[in-house]
């Protein structure tokens, strides 16, 4: 983190619990350390979503895990995250965002140690579920604390760096998992991919307790337990069949669960309407302003296109173009490096261009996607890694310009007392979008290939996916018109 970007003027005052830090043109040293700790907490979450992927073969051999158990090593982590984000965010509003962040870090760190010590798939899956619970407590506090702690350009820089960390994690995750497993440190094989979280988690606890300012609602209400149960039930009933349906060829029970999930969602919304004056889990007034509603909808679409693109792209590279897993991984690194560059540009711009910056990124990604589709259609099986570098890097560059500014502007007008709840909703939109996008691949990609491993059908199916991705990018660009068009229209 460079001093030229964030500054280093000292600050000796501590803000009241529910007020942001005083505005300074340059960020204080203590605030920079707090920002670093928050970003490391976010980095741990994103890394643990992907670091396990390259370690899965070694885990399967070591623990004797079957195909279903391997699937649950990822689902067991992501499902409690999706279910708990809204509740975790509200707990931070009510009981202190730093406190809940540190509690989540304790849970996550202990679960990581348990993962590293597990000898069988049952214990490992249980520990992964516990990791997901810890993340659901941690992650809403990151965005919420950034929102209530920083102001003006400092907030835009903080959210820009948040986007850069997301991009960096996408690069580091698979690479770190592969390196740690291959290194076989102390004969531990895959276990360091989890054990590395222990010292990092302890550092977050020690530094977070010292430097992250506490923030909470001035008068804390009781938690809406009925709302918690209804929201959790709705998300489980929606996310679980979307995640598992394509693996089981969409049996009737998947559609039954989805229908029940929509009914539970309706019951949750009805309950929340009746609770708006009595400590609701979610204040529906957040959606009355177009800024949060439009930004959250754009985040949902962002997750949807990511869920569709990344899964099918991996299959296209290996089945359609005959690449080895190593060369396919290099293609992902190219895209992630482009994403990191775009996020760095967004961080350095410090919000000067309002919605024009993420909209420009969306258009860059859209144009690069179209160019990639034309190239893939023209070259067919002869398309190599070097030839696709330009469009792939530009797709990543465009997407990298979106994440940080989108989060910043979506939450900018959210009252501080609802920052955790809003952050939980915003993060949940991404998880739901990814689950929905993954489910749509069954209709858009797998139905077109009919399960064939042949190169031709996989190439044609991927071209169809690119049409969908282009349409979703255009929709995301349109939804961003609900974000502020002028810098001075955002509340600081």
């Amino acid at each position: 983190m460079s001093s030229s970007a964030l500054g280093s003027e000292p600050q000796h005052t501590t803000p009241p619990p529910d007020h942001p830090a005083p505005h300074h043109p340059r960020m204080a040293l203590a605030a920079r350390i707090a920002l670093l700790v928050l970003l490391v907490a976010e980095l741990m979450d994103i890394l643990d979503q992907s670091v396990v992927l390259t370690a899965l073969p070694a885990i399967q051999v070591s623990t004797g895990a079957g195909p279903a158990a391997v699937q649950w090593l990822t689902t067991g982590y992501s499902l409690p995250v999706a279910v708990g984000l809204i509740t975790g965010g509200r707990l931070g509003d009510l009981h202190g965002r730093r406190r809940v962040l540190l509690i989540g870090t304790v849970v996550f760190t202990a679960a990581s140690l348990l993962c590293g010590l597990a000898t069988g798939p049952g214990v490992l899956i249980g520990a992964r579920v516990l990791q997901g619970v810890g993340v659901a407590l941690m992650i809403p506090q990151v965005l919420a604390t950034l929102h209530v702690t920083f102001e003006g350009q400092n907030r835009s820089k903080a959210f820009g760096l948040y986007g850069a960390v997301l991009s960096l994690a996408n690069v580091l995750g698979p690479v770190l998992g592969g390196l740690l497993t291959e290194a076989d440190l102390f004969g531990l094989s895959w276990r360091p991919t989890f054990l590395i979280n222990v010292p990092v988690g302890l550092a977050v606890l020690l530094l977070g307790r010292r430097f992250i300012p506490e923030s909470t609602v001035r008068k804390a209400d009781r938690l809406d337990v009925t709302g918690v149960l209804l929201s959790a039930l709705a998300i489980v009933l929606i996310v679980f069949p979307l995640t598992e349906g394509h693996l089981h060829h969409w049996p009737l029970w998947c559609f039954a669960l989805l229908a029940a999930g929509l009914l539970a969602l309706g019951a949750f919304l009805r309950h929340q309407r009746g609770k708006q004056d009595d400590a609701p889990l979610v204040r529906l007034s957040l959606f009355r302003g177009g800024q949060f509603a439009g930004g959250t909808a754009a985040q949902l679409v962002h997750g949807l296109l990511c869920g569709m693109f990344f899964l099918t792209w991996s299959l296209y590279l290996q089945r359609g173009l005959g690449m080895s897993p190593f060369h396919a991984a290099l293609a992902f690194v190219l895209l992630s490096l482009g994403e990191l560059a775009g996020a760095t540009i967004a961080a350095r711009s410090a919000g000067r261009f309002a919605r024009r910056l993420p909209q420009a990124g969306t258009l860059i990604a859209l144009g690069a996607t179209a160019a990639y589709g034309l190239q893939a259609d023209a070259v067919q099986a002869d398309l190599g890694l070097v030839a696709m570098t330009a469009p792939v890097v530009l797709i990543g560059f465009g997407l990298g310009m979106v994440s940080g500014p989108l989060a910043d502007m979506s939450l900018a007008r959210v009252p501080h007392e609802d920052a955790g709840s809003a952050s939980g909703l915003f993060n949940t939109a991404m998880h739901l979008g990814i689950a929905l996008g993954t489910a749509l691949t069954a209709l858009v990609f797998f139905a077109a290939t009919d399960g064939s491993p042949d190169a031709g059908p996989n190439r044609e199916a991927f071209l169809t996916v690119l049409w969908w991705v282009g349409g979703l990018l255009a929709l995301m660009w349109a939804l961003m018109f609900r974000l502020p068009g002028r810098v001075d229209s955002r509340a600081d």
Side-chain angles (χ1 to χ4, degrees), residues 265-334:
L265 180 60
F268 169 72
L269 292 175
R270 182 176 180 180
H271 173 73
Q272 292 303 288
R273 286 194 204 98
K275 292 277 292 182
Q276 288 305 291
D277 297 324
D278 184 24
L281 181 66
V282 175
R283 294 197 185 278
L284 299 181
S285 57
L286 290 172
F287 294 95
R288 291 176 190 161
Q291 191 162 331
F292 179 74
T296 303
Q299 179 78 335
L300 178 70
V301 175
H302 189 191
L304 204 161
L305 71 89
C306 287
M308 287 187 66
F309 178 75
F310 289 112
L311 174 60
T312 58
W313 191 41
S314 178
L315 294 173
Y316 162 73
L317 292 172
Q318 296 182 63
R319 292 182 181 177
L321 299 180
M323 288 188 180
S324 67
F326 174 75
H327 284 92
L330 289 180
F332 274 88
V333 170
L334 286 175

Side-chain angles (χ1 to χ4, degrees), residues 153-377:
Q153 286 194 349
N154 283 341
R155 183 176 63 201
S156 296
K157 290 175 182 177
F159 275 97
L161 289 170
Y162 166 84
V165 163
L166 297 183
S167 304
L168 181 63
N170 289 331
V171 179
L172 287 181
V175 174
L176 186 62
L179 287 176
L180 289 175
T181 302
E182 186 70 23
D184 193 21
L185 298 173
F186 308 108
L188 293 174
S189 183
W190 52 271
R191 299 178 189 279
T193 60
F194 296 109
L195 295 176
I196 194 174
N197 291 324
V198 176
V200 177
L202 290 175
V204 169
L205 285 171
L206 293 174
L207 294 175
R209 189 171 183 272
R210 170 68 179 84
F211 290 102
I212 297 176
E214 184 59 285
S215 61
T216 187
V217 179
R218 189 179 295 275
K219 180 182 177 181
D221 297 308
R222 63 186 181 277
L223 184 66
D224 176 12
V225 177
T226 303
V228 168
L229 295 175
L230 285 173
S231 68
L233 179 63
I235 292 173
V236 167
L237 292 174
I238 291 172
V239 172
F240 181 76
L242 288 177
T243 303
E244 296 290 309
H246 70 282
L247 298 175
H248 302 281
H249 306 291
W250 295 102
L252 183 60
W253 61 262
C254 283
F255 297 99
L257 288 180
L258 284 171
L262 293 176
L263 289 174
L265 180 60
F268 169 72
L269 292 175
R270 182 176 180 180
H271 173 73
Q272 292 303 288
R273 286 194 204 98
K275 292 277 292 182
Q276 288 305 291
D277 297 324
D278 184 24
L281 181 66
V282 175
R283 294 197 185 278
L284 299 181
S285 57
L286 290 172
F287 294 95
R288 291 176 190 161
Q291 191 162 331
F292 179 74
T296 303
Q299 179 78 335
L300 178 70
V301 175
H302 189 191
L304 204 161
L305 71 89
C306 287
M308 287 187 66
F309 178 75
F310 289 112
L311 174 60
T312 58
W313 191 41
S314 178
L315 294 173
Y316 162 73
L317 292 172
Q318 296 182 63
R319 292 182 181 177
L321 299 180
M323 288 188 180
S324 67
F326 174 75
H327 284 92
L330 289 180
F332 274 88
V333 170
L334 286 175
L335 185 137
S336 296
L337 290 175
E339 194 174 355
L340 181 59
T344 302
I345 294 294
R348 289 186 177 276
S349 73
R352 289 193 297 270
F353 303 104
R355 71 175 180 232
R356 293 189 295 276
L357 182 68
Q359 282 188 312
T362 304
L363 291 178
I364 290 171
L366 177 58
T369 299
Y372 190 32
L374 292 173
Q375 183 187 47
D377 188 36

